[in-house]
Structures are given as structure tokens and as C-alpha cells.
Amino acid sequence: MTKLSVNINKIATLRNARGGDNPNVVKVAMDAECFGAQGITVHPRPDERHIRYQDVLDLSKVVRTEFNIEGYPDHRFMELVRKVKPAQATLVPDPPTAITSNNGWDTISNQSMLKDIVAELHESGVRVSIFINPELKYFEPAKLTGTDRVELYTEPYASNYHKDRDTAVKPYIKVAEVARELGLGLNAGHDLDLQNLAFLKQSIPYLDEVSIGHALVCDTLYYGLENTIQMYRRKLELE
């Protein structure tokens, strides 16, 4: 079964646009779980332009499914993860000014650093996933870091899906097979939506988890949160 982790960053963006606490990110996370989300994902950034560090602490008290904290592993991020001890920490190579995650790790040149970070997170009992491009050269070095999983960066797949979905998914199938041979768990995320999700799942049936935020929140404006989560769940349950 591929789990659906709902990224609630955009809920925090909406709240921050007016100040105050509406919508309340903690309530949205709790409701999302009630409506079928199998995980909650947050990505706090240094400028706290959406999810704030205090949000992460507040959410850690109420999330009952898998809590996934994404981010660049600087001192503040690592301190937060050690304190919260989420089910999973997803390491992304975002610079502080990045609008969104737009590239995976170079696990070759950063292997030593990532190995130390993974070991530190494992000491806290946290499962680790490394955000990675669908390029074969990065997978064996990723395995050598000791990471439990890799998260496939799916923006290239999503961008090319409507042009030629078979061509778009081909490199992902190839690297997914390599990851599986190496014993790495497989997550996926970025620009996945109701149009392209089912085909990715059908092409890589052993995906462990997808993390979806922007498209899911946009769909919620039309369909409502409960209905939207169920729609995404159904896309993942197609055989």
C-alpha cells in the first residue's frame, strides 16, 4: 500500500497572509487524518514564510499518523527534529531562498555529510529519507549514507506527463528498480496531482509513500478537504 502524506504548508501560507490563526494548521492536520490522510508533512523554512517552527512543535502533540518533517539539515532543523522525533525526516538540499524544493541531493559530493546526518537522526529513532533526482548515479551513493528511503523528485515527471506519460515515467521506473535492489524504501513527491498520480502508482506499485501539498490544497478549494483526500486515496488504490 502506498500511503498518502498530506503536506499542509499551503494551509500555513493562507493563514500567514492575514495573520491570526485562520485556518488553524493543527485543526486542519487533525481533520485531514480523520478524512483519510495516512501522514502529515511539513517543511519549515528559516524565514517561516509558511509552516513555523512552533507549528511543528504543536503538530507533534496531535499527529497520530506518520509525521514527516522535510527540510535542509542545518543546525535549527536538526535541533527541531531531535526534539520532535517524527516518524520520518526528509532531507532536501534547499537553499534558504528557494521558493520550493526544485532539485535533489548530489549524493556523490555530499555523501560524507549526509552519512553523518543520517547517523545522527537514527540515534534519535527517526527514519530518514533523502530527496533525490531520478538519475542512476545518485542511488548507490545514497545507499552508502545509511538512509532508509529516498524520495523521488517528480517535477520532471509531472511536467512531461501530458506530452508523453510513458516517456515521462521511464527514468523513474528504472531508478525505482535500482532502489529496490539496493534495499531502499521509495517515496515520491513534487507536483503530483489527480491527473498524474495513478499512472505513477501503476508504474511503480511498490511506492511506500507520496507527499502531496500544493495540488491537493488547490483541489480542496473545489471539492472540500474530506472529498479531496478520498479522491487522492482512490488514485493510489487503483490496481
Side-chain angles (χ1 to χ4, degrees):
M1 179 179 69
T2 302
K3 293 183 178 180
L4 171 66
S5 186
V6 174
N7 186 317
I8 61 171
N9 276 21
K10 287 299 187 296
I11 301 298
T13 300
L14 181 59
R15 174 200 62 189
N16 295 352
R18 287 290 295 268
D21 198 28
N22 185 25
N24 183 286
V25 295
V26 171
K27 185 178 187 307
V28 170
M30 295 172 68
D31 287 343
E33 289 184 315
C34 289
F35 297 153
Q38 297 152 302
I40 299 295
T41 292
V42 293
H43 187 152
R45 287 187 164 87
D47 61 5
E48 298 191 316
R49 62 181 179 269
H50 35 64
I51 286 291
R52 300 168 182 154
Y53 286 82
Q54 185 59 48
D55 292 331
V56 180
L57 297 175
D58 294 341
L59 286 161
S60 70
K61 300 172 186 175
V62 301
V63 171
R64 295 292 176 262
T65 57
E66 289 203 345
F67 195 21
N68 173 43
I69 304 178
E70 299 181 345
Y72 183 82
D74 59 14
H75 174 75
R76 193 178 183 193
F77 177 86
M78 294 294 288
E79 188 176 80
L80 181 69
V81 173
R82 284 195 299 268
K83 186 171 185 177
V84 170
K85 293 181 173 60
Q88 178 175 267
T90 300
L91 307 180
V92 296
D94 284 357
T97 56
I99 295 175
T100 185
S101 303
N102 57 12
N103 207 5
W105 283 99
D106 178 343
T107 56
I108 301 168
S109 61
N110 292 290
Q111 185 182 128
S112 179
M113 179 193 75
L114 289 169
K115 186 175 182 179
D116 290 343
I117 290 166
V118 169
E120 185 176 342
L121 292 170
H122 280 166
E123 287 178 5
S124 296
V126 178
R127 185 175 73 229
V128 183
S129 180
I130 292 177
F131 198 59
I132 194 168
N133 292 337
E135 297 179 54
L136 286 172
K137 64 182 179 180
Y138 294 130
F139 282 74
E140 285 194 20
K143 173 66 175 180
L144 294 174
T145 69
T147 190
D148 305 285
R149 296 183 182 182
V150 291
E151 178 173 335
L152 303 177
Y153 172 46
T154 50
E155 190 275 334
Y157 163 73
S159 294
N160 294 294
Y161 174 81
H162 292 290
K163 299 174 188 175
D164 184 341
R165 67 180 193 174
D166 292 312
T167 299
V169 82
K170 187 175 181 180
Y172 291 88
I173 295 173
K174 186 176 294 186
V175 298
E177 290 171 350
V178 170
R180 196 179 192 191
E181 290 170 2
L182 291 170
L184 291 168
L186 269 176
N187 297 341
H190 205 90
D191 287 352
L192 296 175
D193 59 27
L194 289 171
Q195 284 69 52
N196 59 42
L197 180 58
F199 186 67
L200 182 71
K201 163 66 176 177
Q202 291 164 4
S203 301
I204 310 174
Y206 44 88
L207 277 173
D208 291 302
E209 172 190 292
V210 293
S211 174
I212 306 177
H214 182 79
L216 189 148
V217 172
C218 290
D219 290 329
T220 294
L221 296 175
Y222 290 93
Y223 306 125
L225 183 61
E226 181 174 9
N227 191 32
T228 298
I229 289 173
Q230 288 301 309
M231 291 169 75
Y232 275 86
R233 285 284 305 271
R234 285 193 291 273
K235 294 294 182 181
L236 292 170
E237 290 162 6
L238 291 172
E239 296 297 335

